[in-house]
């Protein structure tokens, strides 16, 4: 399989911040090892990235009670480890290219409901954004470092 010739899957991601400037992370339900991540998912054909991000929040955490704070300046990419490429997305993609949004959660923690129609997460928590890259699977770490760096002005105290 010529992995380098495969395209990236178009996706969105959300850095969801609470009022204490902590970021939402959740444990994937389909992993045997600890695999925390922020909400993210594919963009449907013709779908606006912001609309996709709001849809993904509803699908993954049961709520989109948010206000948009910012959008990544560019699309960010990550490559899957070569051994995963044939197993994920039926081998059609080498990884993902993602448009990221920073959003403020304006609901209550009780509004977050992981028991959605197609659950993706088993548990969740609020985390200091600076700890985020260390919680992520290694192949996504650089991407998460870029997200934290880009959105730092939104969560760092003056």
């Amino acid at each position: 399989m010529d992995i380098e010739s495969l395209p990236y899957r178009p996706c969105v991601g959300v850095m969801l911040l609470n009022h204490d400037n902590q970021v939402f992370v959740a444990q994937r339900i389909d992993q045997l090892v600890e695999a925390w991540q922020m909400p993210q998912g594919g963009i449907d054909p013709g779908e606006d990235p912001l609309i996709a991000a709001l849809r993904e929040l509803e699908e993954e955490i049961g709520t989109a009670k948010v206000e948009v704070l910012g959008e990544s300046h560019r699309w960010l990419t990550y490559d899957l480890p070569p051994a995963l490429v044939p197993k994920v997305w039926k081998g059609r993609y080498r990884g993902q290219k993602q448009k990221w949004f920073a959003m403020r959660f304006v609901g209550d923690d009780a509004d977050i409901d992981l028991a959605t129609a197609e659950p993706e997460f088993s548990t969740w928590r609020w985390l200091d954004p600076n700890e985020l890259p260390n919680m992520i699977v290694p192949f996504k770490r650089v991407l998460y470092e870029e997200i934290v760096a880009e959105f730092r002005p939104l969560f760092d105290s003056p």
Side-chain angles (χ1 to χ4, degrees), residues 2-146:
D2 181 14
I3 294 171
E4 304 246 337
S5 68
L6 293 173
Y8 288 102
R9 179 177 179 245
C11 295
V12 292
V14 177
M15 177 182 262
L16 186 63
L17 298 164
N18 67 10
H19 291 290
D20 295 322
N21 286 327
Q22 295 172 310
V23 66
F24 175 94
V25 293
Q27 173 71 39
R28 290 204 52 90
I29 207 166
D30 59 356
Q31 299 294 313
L32 299 176
V33 297
E34 247 186 77
W36 294 88
Q37 70 177 50
M38 293 184 282
Q40 63 180 60
I43 300 173
D44 292 335
E47 188 176 32
D48 178 79
L50 177 57
I51 299 302
L54 295 170
R55 176 183 50 74
E56 285 295 331
L57 285 174
E58 288 279 354
E59 291 176 1
E60 293 184 0
I61 69 169
T63 185
K65 292 183 177 181
V66 298
E67 63 181 20
V68 178
L69 302 175
E71 178 179 336
S72 59
H73 291 94
R74 63 184 180 86
W75 291 82
L76 303 172
T77 61
Y78 74 84
D79 289 319
L80 290 169
L84 287 181
V85 171
K87 300 174 185 174
V88 179
W89 308 303
K90 300 176 183 173
R92 295 180 312 194
Y93 303 103
R94 66 187 286 179
Q96 294 189 10
K97 72 174 185 176
Q98 301 175 320
K99 177 58 85 164
W100 279 86
F101 295 90
M103 298 184 184
R104 176 79 58 207
F105 182 58
V106 295
D108 296 316
D109 284 1
D111 293 320
I112 296 172
D113 182 8
L114 301 182
T116 59
E118 294 181 35
E120 293 190 33
F121 300 121
S122 59
T123 190
W124 66 275
R125 65 188 242 197
W126 296 109
L127 179 75
D128 181 314
N130 295 305
E131 296 176 35
L132 188 57
N134 295 327
M135 299 290 293
I136 304 309
V137 293
F139 64 88
K140 291 184 183 178
R141 194 159 290 146
V142 170
L143 174 102
Y144 271 56
E145 288 169 351
E146 291 180 51

